[in-house]
Amino acid sequence: MNTGFSVVIPAYNYGHCIERAVRSVLNQSYPVFEVIVINDGSTDDTDVLMQSLMEGDNPRLRYITQSNQGLSAVRNRGVEESTYPWLVFLDADDEMCPEGLAALGQCFQENPEALLLIGGHFSCSGEVCDQVHPWPASDNKQKNFSAFLEKKFSLSNGACAMHRQLFMAVRYDPELRHTEDLPVFAHVIANYPVATVSLPIAKIHKHVGSMRHDVDAALAVGMSLESRIFDNNGLPEWAQPMRKRYRVRRLLSLLKICDRAERYGDVRRLYGQLFRESPFMAMQPRYIRRLIKSLMK
């Protein structure tokens, strides 16, 4: 028996590529699914393009408009509006692989206890796409959670499906305008069974204008992401000893983001925090080089 998928596509000023994302789902061979596009107050031609797509009168396509509230609010509304038990959150600038839903459906059939299904994906920069395989899920939740914190879990929205049952215990935080998915993924991976499938589910497109590369948004969240993951997030007690290791990992992530963006004052500030937290890590040659480069600017 086929289970159903609700594919939620948040849209904010992605009129130039929203049709690609929508059609990539509508063209799926899997028999039971819906596409819900939520226009989060776009000021470009997203509405015009969506109205044109709606003229096709496809019963699988739904279109919702709202004032701008941010990605977390859009995803929460997607949960409320969805019909089927499995949710896939596909970004408007990405696209599903032709048999993506079929692969997720097969993964569920083989792992009926799982509440999070993680697939592979293509990481695309321009015309070049590299296939990324997911970290093999374990029955050991601590092992899965540790791999997630270490960024070994290749977990990407659009390439994974979450059972709606999960959202009885966790929701996206509307105050987070960047990395809003990480506390949710952390809660789920630490508490529930996970299954992986190596087949690619989606093409994830990397480009300068993507939220993934918004340095100001990343710094606005900053180190508060640690508390959002570890405080009042329903984690088991065994997760707390991993907190300091994650703090160092988060500092490294922010330092790298700022180095790429040539935000050298922030690089120096973050390096100082890194040295206080983990002198051993801070003294690694690759991070010393970043510090020296920042001091020369």
Side-chain angles (χ1 to χ4, degrees):
M1 181 178 178
N2 292 310
T3 189
F5 292 90
S6 293
V7 182
V8 178
I9 303 179
Y12 180 70
N13 290 347
Y14 275 115
H16 62 284
C17 57
I18 185 68
E19 183 174 355
R20 179 184 67 187
V22 172
R23 292 196 183 281
S24 75
V25 186
L26 291 179
N27 291 335
Q28 295 289 305
S29 64
Y30 192 79
V32 188
F33 69 90
E34 65 178 350
V35 188
I36 305 172
V37 177
I38 303 178
N39 185 347
D40 191 37
S42 296
T43 57
D44 65 355
D45 59 349
T46 294
D47 187 65
V48 174
L49 289 163
M50 283 306 306
Q51 293 296 345
S52 177
L53 286 172
M54 292 299 292
E55 288 177 1
D57 197 28
N58 191 320
R60 287 176 166 169
L61 178 60
R62 296 168 57 196
Y63 178 50
I64 298 168
T65 61
Q66 64 179 36
S67 60
N68 181 255
Q69 299 173 43
L71 192 51
S72 290
V74 172
R75 287 183 175 152
N76 287 335
R77 184 164 185 185
V79 174
E80 296 165 0
E81 297 281 352
S82 62
T83 302
Y84 295 115
W86 287 97
L87 289 104
V88 178
F89 295 103
L90 178 70
D91 289 345
D93 52 341
D94 297 331
E95 58 185 308
M96 292 205 77
C97 295
E99 297 299 320
L101 290 183
L104 289 172
Q106 183 63 34
C107 183
F108 169 69
Q109 295 296 330
E110 296 173 356
N111 303 274
E113 76 291 344
L115 296 180
L116 171 62
L117 310 175
I118 304 172
H121 66 271
F122 289 107
S123 178
C124 301
S125 296
E127 297 299 320
V128 179
C129 293
D130 298 318
Q131 186 170 351
V132 180
H133 297 279
W135 183 267
S138 167
D139 292 334
N140 186 321
K141 296 182 179 67
Q142 289 180 247
K143 184 177 180 180
N144 290 339
F145 186 69
S146 178
F148 169 73
L149 294 182
E150 294 292 326
K151 293 188 175 182
K152 294 177 180 177
F153 248 122
S154 303
L155 186 56
S156 180
N157 279 305
C160 66
M162 306 174 72
H163 198 280
R164 65 180 307 108
Q165 175 185 332
L166 298 171
F167 295 101
M168 297 176 66
V170 67
R171 287 293 178 101
Y172 295 94
D173 185 349
E175 293 183 3
L176 275 179
R177 292 287 181 132
H178 191 270
T179 59
E180 71 292 326
D181 52 344
L182 295 187
V184 173
F185 284 146
H187 171 91
V188 171
I189 291 171
N191 287 287
Y192 302 99
V194 176
T196 53
V197 54
S198 62
L199 293 173
I201 306 301
K203 290 184 177 180
I204 309 301
H205 293 278
K206 297 181 178 181
H207 54 88
V208 175
S210 171
M211 276 292 293
R212 303 179 185 98
H213 297 96
D214 190 331
V215 180
D216 289 329
L219 289 175
V221 176
M223 294 306 297
S224 72
L225 187 60
E226 175 196 333
S227 61
R228 294 177 186 275
I229 289 175
F230 285 92
D231 295 337
N232 304 314
N233 194 28
L235 298 185
E237 290 185 9
W238 53 254
Q240 291 304 320
M242 302 182 191
R243 182 168 186 157
K244 181 172 182 179
R245 188 175 62 183
Y246 175 76
R247 186 180 308 136
V248 172
R249 174 64 61 183
R250 177 63 177 166
L251 282 167
L252 292 175
S253 178
L254 290 171
L255 191 151
K256 292 173 185 176
I257 290 171
C258 291
D259 180 63
R260 286 196 298 266
E262 300 182 345
R263 300 277 289 265
Y264 297 120
D266 290 312
V267 169
R268 292 190 291 272
R269 174 179 59 82
L270 290 163
Y271 185 89
Q273 291 180 252
L274 176 64
F275 189 86
R276 289 190 291 273
E277 288 292 338
S278 177
F280 174 79
M281 186 64 72
M283 294 303 291
Q284 298 296 307
R286 59 186 179 276
Y287 303 123
I288 291 178
R289 285 195 295 269
R290 287 184 168 96
L291 174 64
I292 292 173
K293 183 171 71 172
S294 75
L295 292 171
M296 295 174 66
K297 300 296 182 177

